Amino acid sequence: MLTAGALGLAATVAQAEPASAVPAVRGVEKGVAFTASPLADGSGVTTSVAEGVFRLAGGSVTLADRDGRVVATVPTRIATGAGEFDLAAGVSADGRSVTLRPVAAPAVVTENLASFVDEAAATQARKQHNAGIGALVGAGIGAVLGFFLGGVGALITIPIGAGIGALIGYSTP
């Protein structure tokens, strides 16, 4: 969670555009509450904790809980689809906050996200979703019809209704 938040905020500020009013991200990583927010000038992100300690260790920043157990690690070398870049990390004297700034970050990819989606797979997933919904509706209709056929008729009408509903749902674009 901490890594995802830090990377998301770092990617936001790595665009070299004026910083927008991005709210702080609050969360809990294995029992340690944190708050992450972009710097005012948009050049990086600061994360702070009340009951944990940040440390620089090798090529990463670690977050340890009160007992010294490492609960999260953020690498200072990030690989993205646009290339690799480093994060300059600065830990406060008390270890309660860390500031990460991208160094020589690659340009932001401006391609449409839809270009990364396999259209055939998306269509298949949509058809399967529609088939599932159709099966549920068909089974419900079959249950109602079966109830009016003396209750035992539902053993026949529910599967038939679910099958017809699934077929209709799957064939819906």
Side-chain angles (χ1 to χ4, degrees):
M1 177 69 99
L2 178 66
T3 303
L7 290 176
L9 287 172
T12 300
V13 298
Q15 294 180 8
E17 295 177 2
S20 61
V22 177
V25 174
R26 290 177 175 76
V28 177
E29 184 69 28
K30 295 182 184 172
V32 179
F34 67 90
T35 302
S37 59
L39 297 174
D41 64 357
S43 65
V45 63
T46 296
T47 303
S48 59
V49 294
E51 296 187 20
V53 177
F54 289 104
R55 292 186 189 102
L56 291 173
S60 62
V61 176
T62 61
L63 171 60
D65 63 10
R66 288 186 272 200
D67 300 326
R69 291 185 300 256
V70 174
V71 296
T73 302
V74 177
T76 56
R77 180 92 176 141
I78 305 295
T80 68
E84 293 186 5
F85 63 96
D86 291 319
L87 292 175
V91 177
S92 65
D94 64 357
R96 300 285 185 201
S97 67
V98 63
T99 300
L100 301 171
R101 288 185 171 88
V103 178
V108 174
V109 177
T110 58
E111 294 179 40
N112 185 350
L113 290 178
S115 66
F116 295 106
V117 176
D118 180 13
E119 189 61 35
T123 300
Q124 183 67 21
R126 185 177 60 250
K127 286 179 169 281
Q128 290 173 347
H129 173 77
N130 290 345
I133 299 297
L136 288 174
V137 171
I141 292 170
V144 170
L145 291 175
F147 174 76
F148 289 115
L149 294 174
V152 178
L155 295 174
I156 296 171
T157 58
I158 290 176
I160 291 173
I164 292 170
L167 287 172
I168 291 171
Y170 188 81
S171 64
T172 303

